[in-house]
Amino acid sequence: MAEEHQLIQQLLEIGQALSGSHSLENLLQLILTGSRQLTASDAGSIYLIDRTNERQPALVFKIAQNDSIPNLCLQESRMPLTTNSLAGYVASTGESLNIPDAYSLADRLPYQIDRRFDRDFQYRTVSVLVLPMQNQDGDTIGVLQLINRKGTTEQRIDTQNALSVARPYTPWEEQIVMALASQAAISIERNHLQESIEELLSGFVKASVRAIEARDPATAGHSERVAALTVRLAQEAHGETSGRLRQVIFSDRQLQEIRYAALLHDFGKVAVPESLLQKEKKLYPEQLQAIQQRLLILQGQWQLECAHLQYIHQDRQESLSHCPQCQPQLNGELQTKLERLHRHWQLIQNLNEPQVTAQRLANMDDIAQDLQEMAGWMYRDLLGHWQPVLTGAEIEQLLIPRGTLSIAERDQIQLHVVHTYDFLHQIPWTKNLQNVPAIAGAHHEKLDGSGYPQGLKEPAIPIQSQMMAIADIYDALAASDRPYKPRLSIDRSLEILQQEAQAHKLNLDLLDLFRQRQVYLEIEQN
């Protein structure tokens, strides 16, 4: 009774350990080690059934342990699922086998032991206990095989003493290990389910990134690069043993959480119009084309007006031949107006470019005056209504000092962070990934409160988001040329980051680590 109580206690402890294991490899090792300890088995192995191909299921050898061969190392292998082997028979039928001596099996049995292992490793298999690992539905998902039950765990078995040392497995031990095998099957299926969920989530994240890039091809690869930089910076911070970063510690699960948050940090852009995301110049292409068409209409109307004046002079018997100064005067005025129109069209094309020059900034007052002059030019549309050649909204866009976005458009772009958080917040993340929305939603916040969308200050900004902010800005600066800006060198990009950190917008300690450990080299600059 005392021994049975001890076995039950051990079984409970092993079951508790199984529930806390997340890695399949660790889980299988724990199952095999625990069952061998329960029965003082010298060796053992575990097989899993692969039913990916229902017509040809396979038996997959996963792990083996052997106290008498301590350096045993066997590679995973696959074999057809048949009843010829001990493990194959149990996997196929769901029946357990308790064999006192594997070398004494009757020839009439459908299964026999494969003696190649014993021959190759100078071993002797005697007692064998082979049990199916069945889930709650009674389906066999694997096989647990124990070999050579011993009197004490310290004993070692070889070809000389195997028959005297190895003992048969008792019915009670078979019952206990069968209970463990059932627990093991549930744990393995839970692990498979967890892996399936993670694969599904990983696939969703990848698909989401592709969706973002499809809508904004100019930033293709940005999300992956930001994720690589952020995770690398987190790993470097985790290894710090001094300074303010010494308390920063990340588990593997937290690093995965950071990676997902970084990959999805721009997902809210799916709610931003594509025309805005892909805006290369200050005016949209259709706007520039409309202005050009208006100018052509105005040019035609000026030319018609000039011809009409000439006709009026002739109709009043005031031939231009009797007024030699009239024709050159009318043609000269028209030419002057057309030249001014051409210059203003060239001005619009130059202003439409996102690049800013010092000369342009110095002449902004004169430029604004020229644009206002154009706004005063009127043409008659197809309905006969008078319309300005240049609207106030178009003038406002052309006078954008830097970049291509107006204040309203920039606000609309910045809303992508809110959309990102709202979208990610709807996903039922697992406990290990529950901070993904908050991390992703704060990557544009600044330590001094000047960021967006919430204007958070340093204590309220997750350290993971502070890392992502550095990675995001660096990639935006150093990435390949984009339609609205040229690529900056690594040194210049780091210099700008340093200025931001000194202004207490970025975490200076993290930036120092980013530079000193050359985290920026984690991505290829292409």
Side-chain angles (χ1 to χ4, degrees):
M1 289 294 294
E3 290 180 358
E4 292 180 0
H5 177 76
Q6 183 179 4
L7 284 176
I8 294 174
Q9 184 64 33
Q10 286 181 279
L11 179 63
L12 293 175
E13 292 175 357
I14 296 170
Q16 186 175 4
L18 290 178
S19 64
S21 180
H22 300 287
S23 164
L24 178 61
E25 181 179 356
N26 292 340
L27 184 62
L28 296 180
Q29 292 286 357
L30 184 60
I31 293 169
L32 187 54
T33 300
S35 58
R36 288 179 55 236
Q37 288 176 345
L38 281 174
T39 56
S41 296
D42 186 60
S45 55
I46 290 181
Y47 300 81
L48 296 182
I49 300 175
D50 182 2
R51 300 187 187 278
T52 305
N53 185 343
E54 287 293 340
R55 293 183 178 180
Q56 295 180 329
L59 191 62
V60 184
F61 166 77
K62 300 297 290 187
I63 64 168
Q65 296 175 356
N66 193 307
D67 286 342
S68 299
I69 310 175
N71 296 323
L72 179 64
C73 182
L74 300 176
Q75 294 183 343
E76 180 177 312
S77 59
R78 300 170 62 87
M79 62 196 77
L81 182 55
T82 67
T83 59
N84 296 337
S85 65
L86 303 184
Y89 178 84
V90 172
S92 300
T93 63
E95 300 176 7
S96 61
L97 295 177
N98 190 341
I99 303 171
D101 187 352
Y103 281 21
S104 300
L105 291 173
D107 293 339
R108 58 181 174 77
L109 294 173
Y111 51 82
Q112 295 291 327
I113 184 174
D114 186 346
R115 302 190 185 190
R116 286 179 297 178
F117 177 87
D118 287 2
R119 183 178 65 249
D120 293 342
F121 289 92
Q122 299 299 306
Y123 193 69
R124 172 62 161 92
T125 299
V126 183
S127 56
V128 182
L129 180 62
V130 192
L131 302 173
M133 293 190 292
Q134 297 177 327
N135 60 20
Q136 292 175 315
D137 297 326
D139 299 324
T140 301
I141 67 168
V143 173
L144 171 62
Q145 181 171 270
L146 300 177
I147 299 172
N148 287 342
R149 174 181 175 266
K150 301 180 292 186
T152 61
T153 56
E154 293 78 15
Q155 291 177 301
R156 295 293 179 264
I157 291 180
D158 55 36
T159 56
Q160 303 298 320
N161 66 358
L163 290 173
S164 60
V165 173
R167 304 178 181 180
Y169 289 91
T170 66
W172 173 248
E173 288 173 326
E174 181 177 345
Q175 183 179 353
I176 286 293
V177 178
M178 180 63 79
L180 176 59
S182 298
Q183 286 184 318
I186 295 172
S187 297
I188 291 171
E189 284 219 322
R190 183 204 65 205
N191 181 271
H192 286 329
L193 178 61
Q194 180 67 28
E195 287 182 350
S196 297
I197 292 173
E198 291 183 359
E199 288 178 3
L200 176 64
L201 182 58
S202 178
F204 160 76
V205 171
K206 290 179 181 178
S208 300
V209 171
R210 297 294 178 269
I212 299 168
E213 294 181 346
R215 304 188 78 249
D216 189 8
T219 60
H222 171 71
S223 296
E224 286 87 349
R225 292 193 297 270
V226 170
L229 290 171
T230 306
V231 171
R232 169 69 187 285
L233 183 55
Q235 291 170 333
E236 295 293 346
H238 173 80
E240 282 293 279
T241 57
S242 61
R244 282 178 289 187
L245 296 178
R246 67 183 183 278
Q247 296 180 342
V248 176
I249 299 174
F250 296 117
S251 66
D252 289 342
R253 291 283 179 176
Q254 288 173 314
L255 289 175
Q256 180 74 311
E257 182 180 62
I258 292 172
R259 174 171 171 76
Y260 283 155
L263 285 171
L264 295 170
H265 76 283
D266 275 345
F267 187 80
K269 286 184 177 180
V270 297
V272 179
E274 285 187 38
S275 58
L276 190 55
L277 291 175
Q278 300 178 20
K279 191 179 182 185
E280 299 181 6
K281 300 185 180 182
K282 297 177 183 178
L283 295 172
Y284 294 102
E286 59 271 18
Q287 287 181 298
L288 187 64
Q289 185 178 9
I291 294 173
Q292 185 181 28
Q293 290 174 346
R294 295 175 210 154
L295 291 175
L296 289 173
I297 293 173
L298 181 61
Q299 175 182 316
Q301 291 177 352
W302 282 350
Q303 291 170 335
L304 285 174
E305 287 175 4
C306 182
H308 183 63
L309 288 174
Q310 292 178 6
Y311 175 78
I312 290 175
H313 282 297
Q314 292 173 347
D315 190 49
R316 291 180 179 178
Q317 302 299 319
E318 296 176 4
S319 173
L320 292 177
S321 59
H322 295 91
C323 184
Q325 74 275 14
C326 292
Q327 184 172 359
Q329 181 180 350
L330 290 173
N331 290 335
E333 290 176 359
L334 176 61
Q335 186 63 30
T336 300
K337 292 170 70 174
L338 294 180
E339 288 176 356
R340 189 184 308 128
L341 183 148
H342 179 72
R343 287 197 305 270
H344 281 45
W345 170 242
Q346 291 296 325
L347 174 63
I348 289 175
Q349 289 180 303
N350 291 333
L351 287 176
N352 195 35
E353 298 297 328
Q355 287 77 16
V356 179
T357 63
Q359 181 180 3
R360 183 191 297 181
L361 291 175
N363 298 330
M364 286 304 289
D365 291 340
D366 294 338
I367 290 173
Q369 186 175 352
D370 289 341
L371 293 179
Q372 289 299 332
E373 178 186 352
M374 286 190 67
W377 294 348
M378 306 296 287
Y379 73 98
R380 194 183 295 273
D381 63 18
L382 295 175
L383 298 177
H385 301 149
W386 289 101
Q387 303 289 352
V389 170
L390 203 60
T391 67
E394 291 163 347
I395 292 176
E396 181 182 352
Q397 287 177 261
L398 288 168
L399 291 177
I400 294 172
R402 296 182 184 277
T404 64
L405 302 178
S406 66
I407 295 176
E409 289 172 331
R410 194 172 297 279
D411 290 342
Q412 194 173 358
I413 286 285
Q414 290 180 354
L415 277 176
H416 83 273
V417 186
V418 177
H419 297 317
T420 294
Y421 178 82
D422 290 344
F423 173 79
L424 297 180
H425 190 65
Q426 300 301 314
I427 299 175
W429 299 96
T430 61
K431 181 179 179 181
N432 294 319
L433 300 173
Q434 62 185 354
N435 295 316
V436 167
I439 296 171
H443 74 277
H444 276 300
E445 301 288 356
K446 300 295 177 64
L447 303 188
D448 62 355
S450 63
Y452 61 90
Q454 299 184 68
L456 301 177
K457 292 190 176 182
E458 181 174 6
I461 304 174
I463 189 69
Q464 301 95 320
S465 301
Q466 297 178 38
M467 296 174 179
M468 197 188 307
I470 293 175
D472 185 50
I473 295 174
Y474 174 81
D475 186 69
L477 294 171
S480 301
D481 289 350
R482 296 183 182 178
Y484 50 84
K485 75 161 192 68
R487 169 183 178 177
L488 299 182
S489 66
I490 292 177
D491 290 341
R492 178 57 182 153
S493 300
L494 293 175
E495 181 181 341
I496 292 175
L497 287 173
Q498 186 69 25
Q499 293 170 355
E500 290 287 287
Q502 290 175 344
H504 196 57
K505 296 181 182 298
L506 299 176
N507 188 309
L508 185 58
D509 295 317
L510 289 175
L511 181 58
D512 288 342
L513 201 62
F514 188 83
R515 298 181 63 151
Q516 293 167 6
R517 304 290 175 81
Q518 295 184 317
V519 173
Y520 49 85
L521 296 181
E522 185 71 15
I523 60 175
E524 294 183 5
Q525 301 300 318
N526 47 41

